[in-house]
Amino acid sequence: MGSLMGVGISKGSIGPNAEGSDTSPSLLVTNAPAIVGKIAVNTSVQISSVKQAELLGITPEYDLTNDVVFHRHITDFYEMAGEGVKLNLLIVAAASPSDLFDDVVSTMIRKVIADERGAIVNVGLAWNISAATAEVITDGFSSVIRSAIAKAQDFANWAYATDRPVHVLLEGRAMADNMATPISMRAIPVGAAILEAVKVSVVVGQDWQYAEDRFNIATKPVGSKVHKYAAVGAALGTLAAAQMEQSIAEVAVFNLSNATKGFFVIGGLSNHKKLSEAEAFLADLDTKGYIFPITFPRTSGLRWNNDHVCSPIIIDANGNYNEHMIYYSRTLDQAAMRLKSHLLTLLKRRVLADSATGKLPSVVIRNLEADADEQVFKKMANQAHIVAGKTFINKDSDLVSPPKTLLANFKVVAYQIIDNIAGKINLVKSIQL
């Protein structure tokens, strides 16, 4: 028999490679210490401003006293997302990030997503390493984050399957000093296969001056690793500010720098190297799919380099492509959820049958297709979230034999992003149009 969920939309497979808004509410997870009477371990608290976080006791002094980065992540989030955006905070006591995504039944992150009934669409994981703990590096960055990538995708798969899709940003802290060693996020091996974690991204950029200031504080404990943080809070805030189809790296819109506040005046990587020191490796790190701030000539401020995910880029011979950028995965998720909301209204509805075949007549099929196109895809196109979309009903759908399933396919044309511009310029005697 069929599922009690009524409507199921799975993501279509593709062939081998062939050459604030609804998407604003977010969750920030960290292993920072709890604050008695204000914020407890494994208990989510929702805020909408930095001031509210500070009333909970999450202040700059809290970060210094506990040798963690938490307040700064929240500050960075609201610097990009703007005051008023809902941000859930969750302090956890897990031994490692991968443990957070491991258990389908008991993990607190899943509980928060379920409790918020699909409102949270962006999840950021900020991870602190105590001064007394030796930080192990695997594949060019912190081992605890490296081990969490596949588990985070499993969590995202669960979220989608339960109609609560999310995108996960991991704090890729402690990048190796040898910047040639980080593994490609576009080619993570899992046995003989390559991981397709299209709902997971790794952020390795930092506000270098903030990290330097923390490094130079005389009261920090011996062995403090705070200066090896990555600015996942800023990336989470940018994602919250972006529309579903918008790149977090859009140059004209998302400037990370605020000279007045001294934020992101100097960009760096999570090995605490300035961008200027890492310049020879930045193109390679971008190709490998990491997210970090960059500068552009004759443009003030820092921007994110791109919307990478932990997956290869696949485009098949039929023109189908995978969700190889954040804006693709968020667009497809939102289209699927809106389709489900609309199609649920069709369940148990009476439909005319062809007296000769017992199947749906062509007029009914056309009406069903037109209805979904009008109510979902046209509305999304009018809102400039997609270019177009089309519904295709299978004329051989069997509505007599259980589970009496109407078979359908949907195609979405997403907005494309200009990643690069190449041109030539010449001196000429005259210009002829």
Side-chain angles (χ1 to χ4, degrees), residues 282-332:
L282 295 182
D284 184 48
L285 291 173
D286 179 62
T287 299
K288 288 180 175 180
Y290 292 92
I291 296 177
F292 52 89
I294 58 173
T295 60
F296 290 100
R298 297 175 178 81
T299 300
S300 176
L302 294 163
R303 272 77 174 172
W304 295 117
N305 61 312
N306 220 320
D307 301 68
H308 296 302
V309 301
C310 301
S311 170
I313 298 171
I314 302 174
I315 306 170
D316 72 15
N318 296 317
N320 301 308
Y321 52 90
N322 68 338
E323 301 153 81
H324 58 263
M325 305 300 272
I326 297 175
Y327 48 80
Y328 287 149
S329 67
R330 297 218 298 170
T331 297
L332 197 59

Side-chain angles (χ1 to χ4, degrees), residues 228-247:
K228 296 295 184 74
Y229 94 106
V232 70
L236 187 66
T238 314
L239 195 59
Q243 295 294 314
M244 67 182 75
E245 76 290 345
Q246 187 176 28
S247 169

Side-chain angles (χ1 to χ4, degrees), residues 181-237:
T181 60
I183 191 174
S184 173
M185 295 292 100
R186 297 294 190 182
I188 300 174
V190 180
I194 298 297
L195 179 66
E196 291 188 49
V198 297
K199 300 300 297 178
V200 182
S201 300
V202 177
V203 181
V204 296
Q206 68 171 214
D207 180 336
W208 184 89
Q209 190 61 60
Y210 168 75
E212 178 72 358
D213 291 343
R214 291 294 301 269
F215 180 74
N216 288 324
I217 290 175
T219 56
K220 73 179 188 296
V222 175
S224 173
K225 301 170 182 62
V226 169
H227 62 291
K228 296 295 184 74
Y229 94 106
V232 70
L236 187 66

Side-chain angles (χ1 to χ4, degrees), residues 9-211:
I9 300 177
S10 60
K11 297 181 180 180
S13 61
I14 58 179
N17 202 353
E19 299 285 332
S21 64
D22 292 342
T23 50
S24 291
S26 304
L27 168 65
L28 179 61
V29 183
T30 189
N31 60 338
I35 301 172
V36 177
K38 293 187 176 181
I39 181 167
V41 172
N42 291 340
T43 302
S44 175
V45 176
Q46 188 176 95
I47 63 173
S48 57
S49 68
V50 174
K51 184 63 176 177
Q52 290 179 2
E54 292 174 346
L55 290 174
L56 292 171
I58 307 169
T59 62
E61 292 72 29
Y62 166 93
D63 279 11
L64 296 178
T65 300
N66 295 289
D67 193 41
V68 298
V69 181
F70 190 16
H71 177 270
R72 181 52 189 257
H73 285 310
I74 296 169
T75 302
D76 282 348
F77 176 88
Y78 281 109
E79 181 71 14
M80 300 307 299
E83 300 279 310
V85 173
K86 293 179 181 178
L87 175 64
N88 280 63
L89 306 175
L90 179 64
I91 290 177
V92 294
S96 73
S98 60
D99 292 343
L100 296 172
F101 302 113
D102 216 10
D103 189 339
V104 175
V105 177
S106 64
T107 179
M108 289 309 303
I109 298 181
R110 283 180 168 85
K111 185 178 185 304
V112 175
I113 297 299
D115 288 347
E116 291 298 319
R117 302 175 63 85
I120 293 172
V121 293
N122 314 305
V123 176
L125 176 66
W127 200 253
N128 296 292
I129 303 293
S130 72
T133 301
E135 186 156 25
V136 179
I137 305 301
T138 300
D139 288 335
F141 57 101
S142 182
S143 296
V144 294
I145 300 300
R146 171 66 181 89
S147 64
I149 296 173
K151 297 286 184 66
Q153 180 62 38
D154 286 342
F155 159 72
N157 291 341
W158 165 85
Y160 182 88
T162 57
D163 295 347
R164 298 178 284 241
V166 298
H167 193 85
V168 182
L169 298 176
L170 300 177
E171 180 186 356
R173 55 169 292 110
M175 176 179 282
D177 287 337
N178 182 348
M179 288 171 279
T181 60
I183 191 174
S184 173
M185 295 292 100
R186 297 294 190 182
I188 300 174
V190 180
I194 298 297
L195 179 66
E196 291 188 49
V198 297
K199 300 300 297 178
V200 182
S201 300
V202 177
V203 181
V204 296
Q206 68 171 214
D207 180 336
W208 184 89
Q209 190 61 60
Y210 168 75

